[in-house]
Amino acid sequence: MGLETRKLAVALIVILVIAAPLGYLGYGYFSYSKVINPGKPITTIEYVVVKTPTGQFYSMTLQEFKDYLAQGGKIPEGSKVYKIAVESYITGSPIVDINTTLRSLYESYTIILGDPSVKNCKDKPELYMGSCTLRTATVMEVTAFVSNIFSTIYYLKGLAMGYNNTTAREYAYNQTMSRNRKGYLDFWTKFEIGRGSLGNAQNLAILLIGPAEGATANRVFVPRKGLLVFEGTSDDTLRAEVVLVEHLINFQWPSNSTATNANS
């Protein structure tokens, strides 16, 4: 083998060593876009969430809301009304998709709080594209909501393992605390979602997409089991979407919870 041939061979090896990992990272990163934009849903149901000035939340389908108004119904003055699409890409039933995803047994769960700018929301709110106060409220709501469901599932597992009520609750608490993490929608998180290592049958992922993350619609959907996406064009819409999901799956807060003022 001549000197020039050896140089070419070495150059090719170097290119392969560098290009292969970069290609893999690029594939996972760009696959993220396909995951959160899965195309036309099997079914879409439009809902309306009404938040009253006192902080009460009410939800109904868009058609029910129109019928209510047509029959002379009124909403309290100063209320906020959010129109939200709930889409199904798996079973054809958005509620079944969401219920199955949230109430399955996972090894861990991750709350993806949004763009990295959310980290500095408190100290540098001017750098955040949206409302820091409303995003914080949304994060608190979804974190408490998902934690409660995760804990309940491990509580039932504890009972099935033969633990008594007290021990099962301790087991559920410990499992919930050790199996959760938070993340931000940076390059690596997008890569993990794109390649399927985050938001799957083993790890539940909850993704918040608001104005800071480039949201273009108000919708809730499960593109695949283990990944629940809330997309809202404003941070208060994101909060309304979380409450809507609570209503849709008939979630009940523990009596000592103050996460929401009402679930109706």
Side-chain angles (χ1 to χ4, degrees):
M1 180 182 293
L3 181 60
E4 292 302 319
T5 304
R6 285 197 185 96
K7 288 182 178 179
L8 179 60
V10 171
L12 288 173
I13 291 172
V14 171
I15 290 172
L16 287 173
V17 169
I18 296 174
L22 289 178
Y24 180 61
L25 286 171
Y27 171 78
Y29 179 80
F30 289 110
S31 292
Y32 162 79
S33 180
K34 294 181 180 179
V35 172
I36 64 166
N37 295 288
K40 185 177 180 180
I42 301 172
T43 306
T44 299
I45 301 178
E46 293 184 313
Y47 288 89
V48 167
V49 174
V50 178
K51 181 183 179 183
T52 69
T54 59
Q56 301 281 333
F57 286 89
Y58 299 90
S59 65
M60 64 198 81
T61 65
L62 176 59
Q63 187 57 54
E64 289 171 340
F65 183 67
K66 289 180 177 179
D67 292 342
Y68 172 75
L69 295 179
Q71 294 167 8
K74 297 183 182 296
I75 59 175
E77 186 176 349
S79 295
K80 291 186 177 180
V81 178
Y82 308 91
K83 181 181 174 184
I84 300 163
V86 184
E87 303 171 346
S88 173
Y89 292 90
I90 302 175
T91 66
S93 169
I95 297 176
V96 171
D97 287 1
I98 294 171
N99 238 325
T100 302
T101 294
L102 284 174
R103 298 190 187 278
S104 294
L105 179 66
Y106 296 92
E107 294 179 3
S108 60
Y109 72 95
T110 303
I111 308 291
I112 303 166
L113 308 180
D115 184 83
S117 63
V118 174
K119 294 180 185 178
N120 302 318
C121 211
K122 182 179 179 181
D123 299 325
K124 298 180 179 179
E126 69 276 5
L127 300 179
Y128 178 71
M129 186 183 297
S131 168
C132 283
T133 301
L134 293 172
R135 175 58 67 97
T136 299
T138 300
V139 168
M140 291 176 63
E141 181 82 25
V142 75
T143 301
F145 166 51
V146 176
S147 296
N148 266 276
I149 292 179
F150 195 89
S151 179
T152 298
I153 291 170
Y154 271 88
Y155 167 72
L156 295 174
K157 182 180 179 181
L159 292 178
M161 293 166 60
Y163 295 157
N164 62 33
N165 183 60
T166 300
T167 307
R169 290 188 182 280
E170 292 176 353
Y171 171 76
Y173 174 81
N174 291 332
Q175 295 300 311
T176 302
M177 291 299 100
S178 65
R179 294 174 182 270
N180 78 87
R181 71 183 180 97
K182 68 178 181 180
Y184 297 91
L185 198 57
D186 52 19
F187 177 91
W188 187 253
T189 299
K190 290 181 179 180
F191 167 71
E192 289 188 302
I193 292 174
R195 72 167 183 164
S197 60
L198 185 60
N200 53 46
Q202 287 75 45
N203 177 264
L204 171 66
I206 309 297
L207 175 58
L208 299 178
I209 300 176
E213 297 76 33
T216 58
N218 299 326
R219 60 179 184 150
V220 179
F221 62 101
V222 178
R224 65 175 182 240
K225 185 183 176 183
L227 178 61
L228 175 59
V229 180
F230 294 95
E231 181 180 359
T233 53
S234 66
D235 287 306
D236 53 332
T237 301
L238 282 177
R239 170 77 184 282
E241 290 177 352
V242 176
V243 175
L244 172 61
V245 167
E246 294 168 12
H247 294 177
L248 293 179
I249 68 172
N250 295 317
F251 173 77
Q252 298 295 320
W253 286 101
S255 58
N256 62 346
S257 173
T258 57
T260 51
N261 291 341
N263 286 306
S264 303

